[in-house]
Amino acid sequence: VTAVAVIAGGVGAARFLAGLVEVVDPSGITAIVNVADDLELHGLSISPDLDTITYTLAGAIDPERGWGLAGETWAAMDELGSLGGPSWFSLGDRDLATHLYRTGRLRSGATLTEVTAELTAARSLRLTVLPATDDEWRTRVTVSTAAGEHSSDTTHQHTEEISFQEYFVGRRHAVPVRNVRFAGDPTPAPGVLEALEAAEVIVIAPSNPIVSIEPVLAIPGIREAVAARRDQVVAVSPIVAGAALKGPADRMLAELGHEPTVMGVARLYASFAATLVVDDADDALAPAVEALGVRCVVCPTVMHGPSEAATLARAVLEAAAVDPGRRR
Amino acid sequence: VTAVAVIAGGVGAARFLAGLVEVVDPSGITAIVNVADDLELHGLSISPDLDTITYTLAGAIDPERGWGLAGETWAAMDELGSLGGPSWFSLGDRDLATHLYRTGRLRSGATLTEVTAELTAARSLRLTVLPATDDEWRTRVTVSTAAGEHSSDTTHQHTEEISFQEYFVGRRHAVPVRNVRFAGDPTPAPGVLEALEAAEVIVIAPSNPIVSIEPVLAIPGIREAVAARRDQVVAVSPIVAGAALKGPADRMLAELGHEPTVMGVARLYASFAATLVVDDADDALAPAVEALGVRCVVCPTVMHGPSEAATLARAVLEAAAVDPGRRR
């Protein structure tokens, strides 16, 4: 296999890609990355998923936090806090350089695709990292809030629509989600549809189906391009034994009416992915997944480190190559 | 004296104000600060003169450099340089917090006046620091450049118009200046005209007459408001013995056809300042200054530290109070 496209969110996708570059020549890999949880803060353009992938593949990610740079310092944030500024979204001093670079280039007319290519080249990455779109495209989350202060009707359901990062970081994804939508009028970034057409294998990375994978697919043209290659599409379930390894994907699936298991993932992906890779822990659900018309491959999917990520990447590529009936 | 307005640039004005707050209750002092050398860089709104004054009065300025914060770190700049980003304009990690705060507030609709009040309050300053205008107002400098590469006519004069900071920092003010203009359509910020009207003394701080003082006066309404109070206006010459204590004021005066001495300063200021304070070193020029209809007060003006600044501030306030004929 020499041409692989990976539809990617943040941490889970980054870890998978770190394994994939060990088993496929990176020059044949294109990561198509969610940008719907990007934000503008302090005037800076921040792209968390692009940065998590770039930092991880550069070996520069902080391994404890899973985001930001290792060995980071926090002088700017500390000072901003003492000035009374908003410090709910932590930006390390060296991480700030990425946002300063990106923002300056965008303001001078560069596209996010161009800036991302420059930032990945600066960190000597050999794979292609593409934002899914160069256009503004933002996840909006409707969450439940406490009953209004002035309302005596405490049974009345109050909701509020907030940005993804307000939900995810600001409220530590601890509030119930009632709805998710994406705001904007985007087109796929240059190279995205071409990479999906040229790929021998398209991987749906183990990322949140609702807020990482769906906002990529929801860009007009991308879901159709992926579905047109359904037989070559292998998804990796981000849900293991009914729980997300990281983040609120399990709770979010349930809150939005999906089964928070590999079955829920299989139903969401069945129309465009012929194969679903699930963890050994979900072996018993494989027949039910296959009953949906989705080939189910069972193998270890939890990536504690690069070698497990490489093993998973190898299994995913093999899954794409196997006969429809076969599974481990 | 309880109400003093100071028209201010950067370092020289900041040092003078640090002396003034020692001799007048700070709550009666309004600094009206040049913003025409502000810049947008990396998407951030940077106001060098406002920050130099704020940091100096907070006792937080780096005493060696004369700009930025003491004890600063440079992780973001170092990283930006390694990413290939523009690092010609140095921004320390803690200094960045000021720009992040300002930019975020401006983007959310606050005025520069409001943001400046918040930033000075956060640093516990008791004087009022006002930007001269809340509007975009930018110094543009036409400089001489080397003859074009493809021109055989080496005697032909090539010029280029650049921003103030490109001239001042980017080219280290080492290129000849052919013209200075201010771009924009500004009105005085709220409180500026009121402070000039209410002041018992208006001080023109020892700042660059061309690129610090003039861009404040050139905002429609301000020069007239100052001139209307001419008898109460005391200017401090930034030129001592034919040289600027800091920066390119002397060379710039000469390049633009002004005498680079206290006489050149007196001619520029005569229409709106009844009194000019010059250094002991320029004692011999006092009669010539007075011949222009400008009262000349001679005293030490070089501020090596806060006590000298306080002494100068006291002399300036006394100069405003003396009879027209008297000088030391």
Side-chain angles (χ1 to χ4, degrees):
Chain A
V1 176
T2 58
V4 183
V6 181
I7 296 186
V11 176
R15 288 181 181 165
F16 176 79
L17 285 163
L20 188 62
V21 296
E22 298 296 320
V23 299
V24 176
D25 182 340
S27 64
I29 301 173
T30 303
I32 299 167
V33 183
N34 174 41
V35 293
D37 58 9
D38 287 12
L39 69 160
E40 288 73 43
L41 189 63
H42 322 303
L44 297 179
S45 297
I46 303 171
S47 296
D49 284 353
L50 285 170
D51 291 347
T52 292
I53 286 172
T54 301
Y55 294 170
T56 298
L57 291 172
I61 198 90
D62 185 288
E64 306 298 317
R65 292 192 307 271
W67 55 266
L69 291 162
E72 187 60 281
T73 56
W74 306 91
M77 270 295 120
D78 288 349
E79 185 80 3
L80 185 60
S82 80
L83 293 175
S87 50
W88 61 275
F89 195 89
S90 293
L91 298 168
D93 296 327
R94 290 200 296 135
D95 185 36
L96 271 170
T98 299
H99 313 309
L100 296 173
Y101 184 96
R102 177 185 293 119
T103 307
R105 292 284 293 132
L106 290 174
R107 294 285 183 288
S108 74
T111 64
L112 186 56
T113 298
E114 291 165 345
V115 177
T116 302
E118 291 163 10
L119 285 171
T120 54
R123 294 191 186 275
S124 304
L125 302 193
R126 291 181 53 235
L127 84 170
T128 301
V129 180
L130 298 179
T133 180
D134 283 335
D135 302 318
E136 181 150 322
W137 182 232
R138 292 291 179 270
T139 298
R140 303 288 300 169
V141 183
T142 302
V143 297
S144 296
T145 55
E149 281 179 16
H150 302 295
S151 167
S152 56
D153 173 13
T154 54
T155 64
H156 188 80
Q157 189 67 61
H158 289 260
T159 64
E160 183 184 5
E161 190 181 72
I162 57 182
S163 75
F164 177 77
Q165 297 297 348
E166 281 177 89
Y167 160 73
F168 192 75
V169 177
R171 310 207 183 173
R172 299 162 184 275
H173 50 75
V175 288
V177 172
R178 296 297 164 217
N179 189 47
V180 170
R181 72 178 180 98
F182 311 110
D185 182 22
T187 56
V192 167
L193 297 182
E194 292 81 351
L196 292 171
E197 276 163 32
E200 294 161 70
V201 182
I202 297 173
V203 181
I204 311 291
S207 298
N208 188 314
I210 309 281
V211 291
S212 294
I213 301 302
E214 177 60 21
V216 176
L217 298 171
I219 295 166
I222 295 187
R223 193 191 315 275
E224 296 75 1
V226 174
R229 306 292 314 283
R230 184 177 184 276
D231 284 349
Q232 286 77 44
V233 178
V234 181
V236 181
S237 175
I239 302 288
V240 172
L245 291 174
K246 193 170 165 65
D250 47 2
R251 219 169 51 248
M252 198 181 269
L253 282 167
E255 287 163 350
L256 295 174
H258 307 284
E259 197 176 310
T261 67
V262 296
M263 283 301 292
V265 176
R267 284 196 193 95
L268 284 167
Y269 290 173
S271 65
F272 55 81
T275 305
L276 181 66
V277 175
V278 306
D279 192 73
D280 286 338
D282 289 310
D283 190 42
L285 290 171
V289 168
E290 300 226 330
L292 295 169
V294 176
R295 185 195 312 160
C296 191
V297 173
V298 183
C299 70
T301 65
V302 183
M303 298 171 281
H304 294 293
S307 75
E308 282 156 334
T311 301
L312 175 60
R314 224 173 267 115
V316 165
L317 297 181
E318 279 168 23
V322 295
D323 293 337
R326 183 182 151 212
R327 68 180 184 88
R328 216 188 77 188
Chain B
V1 175
T2 59
V4 183
V6 181
I7 296 185
V11 176
R15 288 181 179 165
F16 176 79
L17 285 162
L20 188 62
V21 295
E22 298 295 320
V23 299
V24 176
D25 183 339
S27 64
I29 302 172
T30 303
I32 299 167
V33 182
N34 174 41
V35 292
D37 58 9
D38 287 11
L39 69 160
E40 287 73 42
L41 188 63
H42 322 303
L44 297 178
S45 297
I46 303 171
S47 295
D49 284 354
L50 285 169
D51 291 346
T52 292
I53 285 171
T54 301
Y55 293 171
T56 298
L57 291 171
I61 198 91
D62 185 288
E64 306 299 318
R65 290 191 309 271
W67 56 267
L69 291 162
E72 188 60 281
T73 56
W74 306 90
M77 270 295 120
D78 289 349
E79 185 80 3
L80 186 61
S82 80
L83 293 176
S87 51
W88 61 275
F89 196 88
S90 292
L91 298 168
D93 296 327
R94 291 199 297 134
D95 184 36
L96 271 170
T98 299
H99 313 310
L100 295 174
Y101 184 96
R102 177 186 293 119
T103 307
R105 291 285 292 130
L106 290 174
R107 293 286 182 288
S108 74
T111 65
L112 185 57
T113 298
E114 291 165 345
V115 177
T116 302
E118 292 162 10
L119 285 170
T120 54
R123 294 190 186 275
S124 305
L125 302 192
R126 290 181 54 235
L127 84 170
T128 301
V129 179
L130 298 179
T133 180
D134 284 335
D135 303 318
E136 182 151 321
W137 182 232
R138 294 289 179 269
T139 298
R140 304 286 300 170
V141 183
T142 302
V143 297
S144 296
T145 55
E149 281 179 15
H150 303 294
S151 167
S152 57
D153 174 15
T154 53
T155 63
H156 189 80
Q157 188 67 62
H158 289 261
T159 63
E160 183 183 5
E161 190 181 72
I162 57 181
S163 75
F164 177 76
Q165 297 298 347
E166 281 176 271
Y167 160 73
F168 193 73
V169 177
R171 312 207 183 174
R172 300 163 185 276
H173 49 76
V175 287
V177 172
R178 296 298 164 214
N179 188 47
V180 169
R181 73 178 178 98
F182 311 110
D185 183 22
T187 57
V192 166
L193 297 182
E194 293 80 351
L196 292 170
E197 276 163 32
E200 293 161 71
V201 182
I202 297 173
V203 181
I204 311 291
S207 299
N208 188 315
I210 309 281
V211 291
S212 295
I213 301 302
E214 177 61 21
V216 176
L217 297 171
I219 295 165
I222 295 186
R223 192 190 316 273
E224 297 73 3
V226 174
R229 306 290 315 281
R230 183 176 184 278
D231 284 351
Q232 286 77 45
V233 178
V234 181
V236 181
S237 175
I239 303 288
V240 172
L245 291 175
K246 192 171 166 64
D250 46 3
R251 219 168 52 245
M252 198 180 269
L253 282 167
E255 287 163 349
L256 295 174
H258 306 284
E259 196 177 311
T261 68
V262 296
M263 282 302 291
V265 176
R267 284 194 193 96
L268 283 167
Y269 290 173
S271 65
F272 56 81
T275 305
L276 180 66
V277 175
V278 307
D279 192 74
D280 286 338
D282 290 309
D283 189 42
L285 290 171
V289 168
E290 301 226 328
L292 296 169
V294 176
R295 185 195 312 160
C296 191
V297 173
V298 184
C299 69
T301 66
V302 182
M303 298 171 280
H304 294 292
S307 75
E308 282 156 334
T311 301
L312 175 59
R314 224 173 267 116
V316 165
L317 297 181
E318 279 168 22
V322 296
D323 293 337
R326 184 182 151 211
R327 66 179 185 90
R328 215 189 77 188

